[in-house]
Amino acid sequence: LKNSLKQVLDEQGFATVDLGPETADPVDYPDMAGRLAAAIKDGRAQFGVMACGSGIGIAMAANRYPWIRAAMCYDVTTARLAREHNDANVLALGARLIGLEVARDCLLTFLNTSFAGGRHARRVAKMSEPVAQP
């Protein structure tokens, strides 16, 4: 999935930074999420796309970082709303759950949708505030 989506990005003229994995061997998704979080924090990337089997684990791992808003998407509607309403900067996909065409459509929708701002900006700002301990 990674290589197919990278090809789509190249064809569309997007600059890419491949953060791995480099082989088909299993990797730990928290490590991959850390690589992406570092790339966004230091400005090497503005957006990210990540995948694991379901998309759930990689989204949870990425969302540990306060500057990341990762959204697990499974169709173009969730990809559009993740950007439009939640200003998501990381797209998480479930490689075992969606086909290549759906993943491609999600990716292009995600990257070509702008944050709507307005009433959504207040909510996104709240997600960046420290959470009070119970």
Side-chain angles (χ1 to χ4, degrees), residues 1 29 33 49-63 70-74 90-98:
L1 180 64
Y29 49 79
V49 58
M50 305 187 82
C52 67
S54 68
I56 297 168
I58 197 69
M60 291 173 72
N63 280 323
M72 190 192 95
C73 299
Y74 48 85
V90 174
L91 172 65
L93 299 169
R96 294 186 193 136
L97 302 179
I98 62 173

Side-chain angles (χ1 to χ4, degrees), residues 62-114:
N63 280 323
R64 293 178 17 204
Y65 300 91
W67 58 92
I68 299 295
R69 286 176 309 283
M72 190 192 95
C73 299
Y74 48 85
D75 61 19
V76 294
T77 300
T78 54
R80 179 180 56 79
L81 291 173
R83 286 286 306 128
E84 195 173 85
H85 291 189
N86 305 112
D87 200 19
N89 58 358
V90 174
L91 172 65
L93 299 169
R96 294 186 193 136
L97 302 179
I98 62 173
L100 181 56
E101 287 301 313
V102 173
R104 176 193 180 281
D105 292 345
C106 285
L107 176 61
L108 293 176
T109 298
F110 186 86
L111 293 173
N112 290 304
T113 300
S114 297

Side-chain angles (χ1 to χ4, degrees), residues 2 10 21-22 25 27 34-35 40 42-46 51 54 71-72 90 96-97 108 113 119 122 125 127-128:
K2 179 190 88 162
D10 291 341
E22 295 78 23
D25 295 333
V27 296
R35 289 182 187 182
I40 290 176
D42 69 20
R44 288 181 288 143
Q46 181 179 2
S54 68
M72 190 192 95
V90 174
R96 294 186 193 136
L97 302 179
L108 293 176
T113 300
R119 65 188 166 97
R122 180 182 77 250
M127 287 191 285
S128 298

